[in-house]
Amino acid sequence: MGLEKFKNRNVGTQNYKKLDLTHPPKSGWCRFKQVASRTFKPELFVGLWVTLREMINALFRGKMHTTQYPLEKLPISPRYRAIHEMLRLLESGHYRCIGCGLCEKICISNCIAMETRYDENQRKEVSEYTINFGRCIFCGYCAEVCPELAIVHGGRYENASEQRASFSLFEDMLTPIDKLNLQQEYQGFGAISPNADDNIKKTPLAY
Amino acid sequence: MDGTMLPEVTAVGVIIKAILILAVISAIAGFGTYIERKVLAFMQRRVGPNHVGPYGLLQLAADGIKLFTKEDIIPQHANRLIFAVAPAITAATAFIALGAVPVFPGFTIPFVDVYVPSIASDVNVGILFVLGMMAAGLYGPLLAGMAQSNKWGILGSARTAIQFLSYEVVTGLSLLAPIMMVGSLSFVDFNNYQSDGTWLVVYQPVAFILFLIAGYAETNRTPFDLLEHEAEIVSGYVTEYSGMRWGMFFIGEYANMITIGIIASVVFLGGYNDWWIFPGWIMILAKIAFSFFFMLWVRAAWPHVRPDQLMWLCWKVLMPLAVINVVITGIVMMAG
Ligand code: SF4
Ligand code: SF4
């Protein structure tokens, strides 16, 4: 087989099949009919009605689309990767982190810094644990690698702050001990958002 | 003001009315921007401005503060004089045009017994005057676009010229047929002609539609907002404008929208005559408000046309229609 077929780079100009989508009017009478139907078809008024209908829907039938953001918030998916949370063991209330350091190792932007030591029971204890959220790219590797499900991504996406330090310490990310019963377990990578059922809609292909 | 009935125009009265027109119309024109944003928002199922004041009603004040305190920038290579004067042309002509349109029926002020005809000056060529003024208003965009040494501005003013050449002939011809029927150019005569309750739009539906189309082109509203169409020419003739100069263009545009609404109401829709149980002033307010709303409605619903489509529409469709309408009106009048 020769190489001519492959040397021809004008691939785009050859094998197009043109669909005849328009039906140009053939006779003068047909042309006149087309003009007449285009002129007198009330399509412009259909457009007017559609916008008016939407206005009525929005004002009187409670179908306003706007979420007034700081006042209302849409529920976010458990898969969303926002500011991290350090979880506690439900039984004892002790933090789950065993100080294995995997998250620190895997972090691709090197923003986790931790120090560990042995406590009096010869258990690993986390003495320092910070995440520099100025560098974190929220890739989720740390949560994925953690063997204890100790570090997960929470739902706190409003992370404007006066200082980076104010939300990057271990204590800030740790579930408060009195809120232990409210602690959410990470639902896994395939989890759907809580309002997923409401978001199912027919694909608008009516036109 | 000596307490007698004064049907004539007095200097004091004219000055008071002029000030009233300036104050009321510029307030309404500013408020119109709020209405426009709100109505467009509702039609797109949004909320619109809702943070400043109850229901966002004070948005206007916030905008005013912003416009007044914004830096007034004149570009380096602009023609400073023309650049500065152009917005004033638009705003001034819009208000001058309002001087010759009647809004309310004449009334007598209680207690002092002064008769007030509700028109600043009943010029006997009122229609010509108003149309002329509104046409002269297009010098604003034309000069503004050319003075600012900006290519988008130049495009904007070229489009102004196109638009002007297209719609102006339709405006005149479409109004010619009602003028022939009424036999006068004064708005007050138009109003009185319809005082028997039959609106002129019944006799002249074609002229009404033609006038509306031309009026939308005249006020630079969608579907003919070619002058400053953001998607194509950034902001057209107002690209380089900021602050209060830009605000004057806007006030002029909204005042023109109101003027077109008043003309349509007075010439075609029965003016300020009483209708059923509604007094005339409520009727005309309702008509003007509806015509304003219709402009916003159209803007929400219809896409805008290209400049060449506008020329095609005006010269090849609307102008022949207008001429035919005039001819038929003439034949019917001679036969009748
Ligand atoms: S999300 Fe990614 S970048 Fe952020 S701390 Fe975890 S591993 Fe590092
Ligand atoms: S991977 Fe998990 S258990 Fe290990 S140090 Fe990080 S948070 Fe602690």
Side-chain angles (χ1 to χ4, degrees):
Chain A
M1 196 172 74
L3 290 176
E4 287 75 34
K5 198 167 150 229
F6 300 105
K7 281 184 178 160
N8 180 10
R9 309 305 283 255
N10 294 327
V11 280
T13 55
Q14 296 156 25
N15 297 320
Y16 276 128
K17 191 171 171 188
K18 294 230 167 67
L19 289 181
D20 183 24
L21 291 177
T22 60
H23 301 289
K26 300 206 170 53
S27 62
W29 173 242
C30 289
R31 200 169 296 133
F32 176 77
K33 274 199 297 189
Q34 188 186 43
V35 168
S37 80
R38 280 181 184 171
T39 310
F40 295 108
K41 242 196 218 159
E43 281 190 332
L44 281 178
F45 297 95
V46 173
L48 282 181
W49 161 242
V50 167
T51 43
L52 190 69
R53 187 188 63 203
E54 291 309 315
M55 181 166 165
I56 294 169
N57 276 344
L59 285 180
F60 304 115
R61 300 205 188 132
K63 288 197 182 162
M64 201 66 97
H65 230 56
T66 310
T67 308
Q68 303 192 26
Y69 161 60
L71 308 175
E72 315 169 354
K73 287 178 190 165
L74 294 176
I76 60 167
S77 158
R79 291 147 74 181
Y80 193 82
R81 300 197 294 266
I83 294 290
H84 306 65
E85 278 172 5
M86 306 297 291
L87 301 188
R88 288 181 188 271
L89 290 169
L90 292 177
E91 296 84 358
S92 63
H94 195 270
Y95 54 76
R96 289 184 187 174
C97 177
I98 53 170
C100 68
L102 283 174
C103 53
E104 185 192 27
K105 260 276 188 283
I106 203 170
C107 175
I108 50 172
S109 47
N110 251 346
C111 60
I112 300 181
M114 64 188 300
E115 276 172 23
T116 53
R117 60 165 182 245
Y118 289 111
D119 67 359
E120 62 271 18
N121 303 325
Q122 291 297 302
R123 255 182 78 100
K124 268 275 190 77
E125 171 188 69
V126 181
S127 52
E128 293 286 341
Y129 191 104
T130 60
I131 301 183
N132 181 347
F133 285 112
R135 296 184 59 163
C136 174
I137 58 166
F138 300 97
C139 63
Y141 282 0
C142 51
E144 201 168 333
V145 79
C146 177
E148 298 292 309
L149 277 180
I151 183 166
V152 296
H153 283 288
R156 189 175 144 209
Y157 51 85
E158 290 156 321
N159 36 14
S161 162
E162 288 174 7
Q163 298 177 0
R164 282 180 205 163
S166 59
F167 49 79
S168 63
L169 298 179
F170 191 59
E171 292 73 37
D172 300 323
M173 294 180 284
L174 197 57
T175 314
I177 190 73
D178 51 327
K179 299 242 176 72
L180 186 56
N181 54 339
L182 300 177
Q183 178 174 294
Q184 297 278 323
E185 209 55 52
Y186 180 57
Q187 294 180 12
F189 291 106
I192 51 173
S193 53
N195 63 339
D197 285 352
D198 305 335
N199 286 341
I200 296 175
K201 283 199 190 97
K202 210 174 103 185
T203 311
L205 287 176
Y207 197 67
Chain B
M1 305 263 175
D2 49 7
T4 51
M5 299 279 276
L6 282 179
E8 301 95 42
V9 179
T10 59
V12 183
V14 168
I15 291 173
I16 292 177
K17 280 180 220 161
I19 292 173
L20 268 184
I21 287 179
L22 255 182
V24 173
I25 296 292
S26 49
I28 294 180
F31 195 62
T33 61
Y34 166 78
I35 301 280
E36 166 151 25
R37 271 176 281 179
K38 243 355 198 193
V39 168
L40 283 181
F42 291 152
M43 288 188 164
Q44 294 155 1
R45 285 205 275 151
R46 291 184 286 117
V47 174
N50 66 341
H51 269 65
V52 198
Y55 302 104
L57 275 170
L58 294 181
Q59 185 70 41
L60 176 56
D63 288 347
I65 293 170
K66 182 193 147 202
L67 282 184
F68 271 108
T69 52
K70 226 175 170 182
E71 188 187 354
D72 177 32
I73 301 172
I74 298 187
Q76 200 174 16
H77 300 293
N79 184 326
R80 302 181 70 88
L81 178 68
I82 298 181
F83 187 86
V85 165
I89 297 179
T90 303
T93 50
F95 284 110
I96 295 172
L98 275 163
V101 290
V103 183
F104 296 125
F107 59 95
T108 314
I109 301 179
F111 308 122
V112 280
D113 241 14
V114 183
Y115 179 75
V116 186
S118 286
I119 177 169
S121 65
D122 182 11
V123 197
N124 57 2
V125 288
I127 288 189
L128 274 188
F129 178 77
V130 172
L131 290 185
M133 263 307 150
M134 291 181 69
L138 277 211
Y139 273 108
L142 192 68
L143 295 177
M146 292 200 291
Q148 61 188 243
S149 76
N150 176 314
K151 59 184 171 187
W152 310 116
I154 295 283
L155 282 177
S157 47
R159 287 182 170 204
T160 313
I162 290 177
Q163 190 149 335
F164 183 73
L165 290 178
S166 311
Y167 74 77
E168 197 55 45
V169 61
V170 183
T171 322
L173 282 175
S174 68
L175 280 177
L176 193 56
I179 290 172
M180 282 159 60
M181 291 185 65
V182 176
S184 164
L185 286 168
S186 157
F187 282 109
V188 178
D189 290 338
F190 267 95
N191 179 65
N192 296 340
Y193 184 85
Q194 304 170 74
S195 58
D196 59 349
T198 327
W199 294 357
L200 255 176
V201 66
V202 179
Y203 304 118
Q204 295 287 352
V206 177
F208 178 60
I209 292 169
L210 292 180
F211 175 74
L212 272 193
I213 296 176
Y216 280 39
E218 178 141 16
T219 48
N220 181 23
R221 299 293 304 174
T222 320
F224 309 115
D225 61 336
L226 311 174
L227 274 55
E228 45 167 337
H229 197 258
E230 299 90 11
E232 291 161 7
I233 47 172
V234 184
S235 207
Y237 66 96
V238 281
T239 306
E240 294 284 6
Y241 279 88
S242 64
M244 217 38 223
R245 290 188 207 281
W246 181 83
M248 277 158 85
F249 275 123
F250 234 67
I251 287 183
E253 177 178 335
Y254 280 79
N256 274 335
M257 283 165 70
I258 296 169
T259 314
I260 287 289
I262 298 177
I263 298 178
S265 316
V266 171
V267 174
F268 290 101
L269 298 179
Y272 43 83
N273 293 304
D274 299 351
W275 183 74
W276 197 34
I277 54 167
F278 299 111
W281 61 275
I282 288 191
M283 280 311 289
I284 188 140
L285 280 188
K287 287 168 203 165
I288 296 171
F290 179 77
S291 104
F292 196 88
F293 173 75
F294 194 70
M295 288 190 179
L296 310 183
W297 191 6
V298 162
R299 173 162 180 195
W302 295 349
H304 90 143
V305 301
R306 292 196 310 261
D308 60 316
Q309 287 171 330
L310 175 70
M311 299 227 297
W312 175 84
L313 180 74
C314 284
W315 285 103
K316 289 196 177 166
V317 181
L318 301 185
M319 196 193 65
L321 273 181
V323 172
I324 293 170
N325 189 41
V326 167
V327 170
I328 292 179
T329 309
I331 292 174
V332 171
M333 279 177 65
M334 284 207 295

